[in-house]
């Protein structure tokens, strides 16, 4: 899994976010692709074969996977079970359900982490899926992909090379020519994928395309809308309302002005867990399923209750209680994120260097307590003042910014702790060695900084872990930061959607509680191009895929609007 707290990764990610935001405002890749591709139409999967004048399809299966391309084990586990021709799944009631591989595979956003590049796509996404299924026989399953914010970090260059060039990804053939698409499915169903660039507006070319598609959608047809972010969840979070106001307007525009409220299923990733809301009559569902391979996100620390419009919570995965227990893993922050300690170690040494003269000049019989001498020296030391202001500013910036009070209180408290730890270490070491005979010069030059470095590495990491744990489990803050630190590969999920001969849409939410680890994959002897090259080893601690909840049918209901 990506090491989000590695110092080098923190720097690279920060630079990529700044650069991508600047390019996104001045060079919209969606417009360039639209100009280059010219006419762009909806894809027709309502007949057999696709695009021909064949007979209507009697049924179709669509697989939905979002937030992939992080750790190998988690990404390959999902790819392995998505690619199997047949998959038997047991629901919570113990009933077995037979499913088959999708005719269409949809990637719902954030196909690679931590940021897009041709090399990362190849290593973190293409390689796992090619290992699971290298080739297929006609009719080949199709692949469509939406970009998420991590795909946009290079202004969609690598995404376009991978998904808009009609290339193969293992046994799946890419079909789209832009970063958005529309697919006509059997029995009056449509699947639409919209690209909202880094929380920007929907570009005019995309609006024109969807408006053209909407004119071909019948008044009784129904739509599955895929977006890269679950705006309905973020809007439900009061503290995120302002941040996602623009994205919500885009969603509302599509729903009300383009598709005329014919949307029956909203699908999204971005949050790396499973959560479903639905209307009481089951006619409309809003589903977050971002468990395709990225680190797990918590299901607690979020605002509870129904969404606007009467959407009631139906299922979450993992359960809230399991999520709270997993958060305790932040107590092992120094072990899981060993390199992060380099930052707090450097901070500790820097604090010591600013106080070294005061510490060296203090004597036990001077009549002034050591802590007082240090406190009086700090305001008189420009370097110490700058260090304190810089550290407090950094932790204020790091703190969850959706509530000003928490940024001030939480950020200041956390920053103060990170500053007090090296000060107390320096004072403690000086007090402990004050009665010793005059040490040799090398001792004073090497040992105190070494003590500061080691104590800062460990103590600062522990403080960070405690801060994240308390922030999430007590105040419901830092959900992303508190779980990216855990780098948990388990509790993966994907969706299997089946439209049957009667035109009913049944959704199978598939979970993988524990994915196989490195030593739990075994080579498959004599594997062909259509066989997986690695198979879960018998006797391992991994768990087979299962149904998170019973399969549910999207009721027809009455069309609104």
């Amino acid at each position: 899994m990506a090491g989000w707290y590695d110092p080098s990764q923190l720097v690279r990610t920060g630079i990529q976010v700044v650069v991508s935001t600047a390019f996104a405002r001045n060079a919209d890749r969606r417009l360039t692709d639209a100009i280059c591709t010219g006419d762009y139409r909806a894809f027709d999967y309502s007949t057999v074969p696709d695009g021909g004048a064949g007979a209507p399809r009697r049924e179709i299966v669509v697989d939905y996977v979002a937030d992939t391309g992080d750790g190998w084990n988690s990404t390959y586990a999902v790819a392995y079970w998505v690619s199997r021709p047949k998959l038997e799944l047991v629901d919570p009631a113990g009933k077995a359900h037979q499913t088959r591989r999708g005719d269409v595979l949809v990637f719902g956003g954030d196909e690679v982490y931590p940021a897009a590049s041709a090399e990362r796509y190849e290593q973190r996404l293409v390689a796992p899926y090619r290992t699971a299924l290298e080739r297929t026989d006609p009719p080949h399953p199709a692949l469509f992909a939406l970009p998420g914010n991590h795909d946009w970090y290079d202004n969609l260059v690598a995404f376009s090379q991978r998904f808009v060039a009609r290339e193969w990804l293992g046994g799946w053939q890419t079909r789209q020519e832009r970063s958005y698409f529309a697919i006509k499915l059997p029995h009056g169903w449509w699947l639409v994928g919209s690209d909202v660039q880094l929380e920007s507006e929907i570009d005019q070319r995309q609006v024109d395309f969807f408006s053209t598609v909407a004119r071909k959608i019948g008044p009784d047809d129904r739509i599955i809308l895929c977006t890269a972010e679950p705006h309905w969840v973020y809007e439900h979070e009061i503290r995120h309302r302002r941040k996602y106001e623009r994205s919500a307007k885009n969603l509302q525009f599509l729903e009300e002005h383009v598709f005329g409220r014919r949307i029956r299923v909203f699908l999204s990733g971005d949050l790396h867990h499973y959560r479903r809301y639905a209307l009481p009559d089951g006619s409309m569902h809003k589903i977050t399923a971002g468990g395709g391979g990225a680190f797990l996100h918590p299901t607690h620390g979020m605002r509870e209750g129904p969404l606007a419009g009467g959407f009631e919570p139906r299922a979450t995965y993992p359960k809230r209680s399991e999520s709270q227990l997993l958060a305790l893993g932040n107590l092992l922050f120094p072990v899981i994120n060993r390199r992060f300690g380099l930052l707090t170690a450097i901070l500790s040494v820097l604090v010591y260097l600013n106080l070294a003269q005061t510490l060296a000049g203090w004597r036990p019989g001077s009549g002034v307590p050591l802590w007082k001498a240090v406190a009086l020296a700090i305001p008189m030391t420009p370097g110490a003042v700058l260090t304190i202001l810089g550290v407090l500013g950094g932790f204020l910036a790091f703190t969850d910014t959706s509530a000003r009070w928490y940024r001030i209180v939480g950020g200041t408290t956390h920053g103060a702790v990170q500053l007090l730890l090296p000060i107390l270490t320096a004072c403690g070491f000086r007090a402990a060695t004050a009665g010793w005979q005059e040490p040799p010069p090398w001792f004073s030059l090497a040992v105190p900084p070494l003590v500061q470095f080691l104590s800062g590495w460990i103590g600062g990491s522990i403080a960070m872990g405690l801060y994240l744990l308390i922030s999430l489990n007590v105040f419901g803050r830092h959900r992303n930061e508190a779980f990216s630190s855990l780098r948990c590969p388990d509790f993966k999920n994907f969706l299997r959607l089946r439209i049957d001969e009667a035109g009913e849409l049944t959704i199978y939410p598939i979970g993988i509680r524990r994915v196989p680890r490195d030593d739990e994959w075994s080579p498959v002897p004599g594997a062909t191009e259509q066989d997986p090259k690695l198979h879960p080893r018998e006797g391992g601690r991994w768990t087979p895929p299962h149904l998170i909840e019973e399969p549910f049918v999207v009721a027809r209901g009455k069309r609104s609007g």
Side-chain angles (χ1 to χ4, degrees), residues 57-60 187 498-504:
R57 285 182 184 262
R58 301 175 62 183
E59 61 97 36
I60 195 170
H187 306 295
R498 178 175 182 262
I499 300 173
D500 62 19
E501 298 177 9
E504 283 193 334

Side-chain angles (χ1 to χ4, degrees), residues 80-336:
Y80 175 85
W81 277 297
V82 162
S83 66
R84 297 304 84 222
K86 304 291 183 181
L87 192 61
E88 181 178 278
L89 302 162
V90 178
D91 65 27
K95 182 180 178 181
H97 301 263
Q98 302 295 330
T99 67
R100 67 174 180 86
R101 183 173 63 218
D103 305 288
V104 175
L105 172 62
V106 175
F107 284 153
D110 286 341
E111 276 73 64
V112 70
Y113 289 86
S117 70
E119 294 77 16
R120 287 199 181 103
Y121 276 122
E122 181 65 31
Q123 296 170 3
R124 294 175 176 252
L125 179 68
V126 178
Y129 276 80
R130 185 186 294 138
T131 302
L133 182 62
E134 187 175 357
R135 188 181 66 83
T136 53
D137 290 329
H140 304 290
L143 171 63
F144 295 85
L146 285 178
N149 59 306
H150 293 271
D151 302 293
W152 265 104
Y153 283 166
D154 70 339
N155 199 33
L156 220 63
V157 172
F159 177 93
S160 298
Q161 293 172 345
R162 170 51 56 188
F163 298 106
V164 187
R166 289 181 173 269
E167 294 186 354
W168 290 82
L169 193 151
W172 294 267
Q173 185 177 20
T174 61
R175 301 294 309 278
Q176 67 201 81
E177 297 174 8
R178 300 182 191 173
S179 59
Y180 46 89
F181 53 84
I183 306 171
K184 184 179 181 181
L185 302 173
H187 306 295
W189 281 97
W190 293 75
L191 191 149
V192 173
S194 174
D195 173 20
V196 180
Q197 170 216 50
L198 292 174
E199 302 169 12
S200 182
E201 300 285 357
I202 297 179
D203 60 289
Q204 188 58 47
R205 295 272 184 170
Q206 191 172 174
V207 171
D208 294 341
F209 168 71
F210 286 135
S211 297
T212 301
V213 170
R215 289 193 288 270
K216 300 178 181 179
I217 300 177
D220 295 323
D221 288 356
R222 292 158 290 171
I223 299 171
I224 304 165
L225 177 63
C226 301
T227 59
E229 292 183 347
H231 310 302
W232 53 91
V233 175
Y234 297 136
E235 279 299 295
H236 185 58
E237 297 285 315
I238 294 177
R239 54 182 174 269
H240 288 286
R241 186 163 295 167
R242 185 176 302 170
K243 179 179 180 183
Y244 289 95
E245 183 177 356
R246 179 179 294 177
S247 297
K249 287 182 179 179
N250 288 328
L251 184 64
Q252 185 179 14
F253 177 79
L254 286 176
E255 181 181 357
E256 296 183 357
H257 299 286
V258 177
F259 297 122
R261 292 186 177 273
R262 285 167 287 191
I263 303 171
R264 287 287 170 252
V265 180
F266 296 80
L267 294 182
S268 183
D270 195 50
L271 294 176
H272 310 161
H273 57 230
Y274 173 81
R275 183 180 292 266
R276 178 171 71 94
Y277 295 87
L279 291 180
D281 64 357
S283 63
M284 192 178 295
H285 302 256
K286 295 187 175 183
I287 305 170
T288 306
F295 66 88
L296 177 67
H297 269 143
T299 54
H300 71 291
M302 306 179 71
R303 184 184 176 194
E304 300 298 321
L307 304 178
F311 288 86
E312 300 173 348
R314 296 295 179 89
T316 58
Y317 182 76
K319 294 180 180 179
R320 180 184 175 89
S321 57
E322 292 176 308
S323 180
Q324 290 174 323
L325 288 175
L326 287 169
L328 296 176
N330 277 291
L331 296 175
L332 299 176
F333 187 95
V335 178
I336 302 173

Side-chain angles (χ1 to χ4, degrees), residues 469-491:
L469 174 60
I470 295 171
S471 294
L472 176 58
N473 279 14
V474 178
F475 298 102
R477 304 283 168 172
H478 283 296
R479 294 193 298 266
N480 184 68
E481 293 81 6
F483 264 59
S484 62
S485 66
L486 302 179
R487 301 161 72 173
C488 178
D490 299 320
F491 292 96

Side-chain angles (χ1 to χ4, degrees), residues 362-425:
W362 179 82
R363 295 293 181 269
S366 64
V368 179
L370 179 56
W371 66 267
K372 189 173 182 178
V374 170
L376 292 173
I378 289 176
M380 306 302 295
T381 308
V385 174
L386 291 175
T387 299
I388 291 173
L389 293 176
V391 170
L392 291 178
F395 281 104
L396 283 172
F398 169 78
T399 304
D400 193 336
T401 58
S402 56
R404 183 176 299 177
W405 73 267
Y406 197 80
R407 167 187 277 189
I408 296 173
V409 176
T412 303
T413 302
H414 186 198
V417 170
Q418 294 286 4
L419 287 167
L420 282 173
L421 286 174
I423 293 174
L424 292 176
T425 299

Side-chain angles (χ1 to χ4, degrees), residues 20-28 155 197-198:
S20 63
T21 301
F23 272 101
R25 292 174 178 171
N26 299 284
D28 193 335
N155 199 33
Q197 170 216 50
L198 292 174

